[in-house]
Amino acid sequence: VQLQASGGGLVQAGGSLRLSCAASGRTISSYAMGWFRQTPGKEREFVAAIRWSGSRTYYADSVKGRFTISRDNAKNTVYLQMASLNSEDTAVYYCAAGTTTSLAPRAYDFWGQGTQVTVSS
């Protein structure tokens, strides 16, 4: 599975962005999907995940109530809608696919290249 993340950019604090993760090479309909983020010098951290069916979602406490993960298996795409952004959300955001829904990066088998999100205060 090849994953292509897009939709990042520069946004003012309080603003919104929607990230997309388009998959190719294989359908992602049987994969759990996750979003992670990373800043320089820090480990990659969990942001959100969604089961293969979309029946359940998981969020880091820091984004709960502000971010929404969703998927469109017909379009082979996963989304991360981000609202009420603040400077602490500035990071490179990565999407990932795996056979198990997990908060741990090591559980995911396939990774996108990342998209930069910068929140200005």
Side-chain angles (χ1 to χ4, degrees):
V1 178
Q2 290 80 47
L3 302 174
Q4 179 76 34
S6 63
L10 176 64
V11 62
Q12 288 189 333
S16 300
L17 277 177
R18 188 176 81 155
L19 305 184
S20 298
C21 176
S24 61
R26 189 183 301 179
T27 177
I28 60 168
S29 59
S30 60
Y31 286 95
M33 299 297 295
W35 284 97
F36 294 80
R37 65 188 182 187
Q38 190 170 23
T39 54
K42 293 189 177 181
E43 293 187 354
R44 195 164 295 187
E45 69 168 349
F46 170 77
V47 175
I50 186 167
R51 286 188 177 178
W52 67 271
S53 63
S55 60
R56 189 161 180 181
T57 56
Y58 307 82
Y59 297 96
D61 288 341
S62 59
V63 307
K64 202 170 293 183
R66 301 188 298 121
F67 290 13
T68 303
I69 187 171
S70 62
R71 65 190 300 158
D72 186 338
N73 287 339
K75 293 184 178 180
N76 229 24
T77 302
V78 176
Y79 305 97
L80 184 68
Q81 180 68 50
M82 307 185 294
S84 302
L85 288 162
N86 59 62
S87 58
E88 294 184 350
D89 297 316
T90 295
V92 177
Y93 283 71
Y94 299 89
C95 59
T99 55
T100 303
T101 311
S102 174
L103 280 59
R106 65 179 181 273
Y108 292 82
D109 302 307
F110 305 99
W111 291 84
Q113 85 292 356
T115 184
Q116 175 71 47
V117 172
T118 303
V119 183
S120 64
S121 55

